[in-house]
Structure formats: C-alpha cells, structure tokens
C-alpha cells in the first residue's frame, strides 16, 4: 500500500482503525485486514479464530494486526482446515503484546510478533 503525504502528514488511508473486542472469543472478519488493529481485552483468556478462506476470502498477502490489551492471554487458532504457523507458539506473550497474521495461501497463515508457546 502506498502512503500518501498531504501537507507533511500521512493521509487517513495510512492510519490504523481499531476493532476493539472485549469477549473471550472472536472470529476474524474481512474488515480486520490491512489498516486495522484488532484489540483484544478481557481479564479471562481469549480464543481468536482464523476462518476458512471459503468463509472470508482475504487476498494472499493480507495482514491482520493483533494487540492484547487485557490480562487474558490471546490464543490464535485456525478453524478446521486452516493452518496457522508460528514460533515458538500461537499465544500472545503478555498484556500489550502485539502480533501480525499474514496470509500465505488459501488457508495458510503465519503469526509473527511477540508470541509464546
């Protein structure tokens, strides 16, 4: 994505939109990709699901930014048939940890960032 500079400042198209989630489960939606931060906040553990491409068809190369703002640890998992790879694991490490999901194939993703086993 190109960033447009207008009068010395980045345009609104380059700014992140926040999708604040406060439940203990969340399934990603189409609008969560690119220029959005999915902010997850709960005192209890949170299960985040990456849906099948047949349900939500993001283009390959799409990025989804995640931020854990609550004490409840976020665990990322693919729906049945979706592979999410990460090292050392699929959990955001702690409160205020961030990570990015990157779509690499139809139902194949990688999670990079501040993650733990």
């Amino acid at each position: 994505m190109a960033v447009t500079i207008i009068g010395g400042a980045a345009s609104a198209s380059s700014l992140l939109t926040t999708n604040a989630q406060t439940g203990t489960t969340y399934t990603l939606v189409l609008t969560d990709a690119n220029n959005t931060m999915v902010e997850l906040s709960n005192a209890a553990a949170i299960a985040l699901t990456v849906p099948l491409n047949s349900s939500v068809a993001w283009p390959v190369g799409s990025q989804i930014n995640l931020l854990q703002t609550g004490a409840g640890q976020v665990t990322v998992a693919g729906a049945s048939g979706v592979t999410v790879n990460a090292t050392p694991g699929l959990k955001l490490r702690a409160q205020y940890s961030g990570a990015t999901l990157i779509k690499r194939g139809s139902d194949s993703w990688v999670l990079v960032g501040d993650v733990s086993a």
Side-chain angles (χ1 to χ4, degrees), residues 12-102:
S13 65
S14 67
L15 302 177
L16 283 176
T17 301
T18 300
N19 176 3
Q21 296 295 316
T22 58
T24 57
T25 62
Y26 181 66
T27 299
L28 296 169
V29 296
L30 191 62
T31 55
D32 288 330
N34 306 323
N35 292 338
T36 299
M37 174 72 72
V38 179
E39 188 174 304
L40 302 134
S41 180
N42 198 298
I46 301 168
L48 182 130
T49 303
V50 180
L52 281 163
N53 186 71
S54 60
S55 297
V56 183
W58 291 285
V60 171
S62 292
Q63 297 180 36
I64 300 173
N65 298 303
L66 308 174
L67 178 64
Q68 176 185 318
T69 57
Q73 189 172 38
V74 176
T75 300
V76 177
S80 180
V82 175
T83 301
V84 181
N85 293 299
T87 295
L90 294 171
K91 295 181 178 185
L92 274 65
R93 187 181 55 81
Q95 188 172 14
Y96 299 107
S97 289
T100 300
L101 280 160
I102 304 167

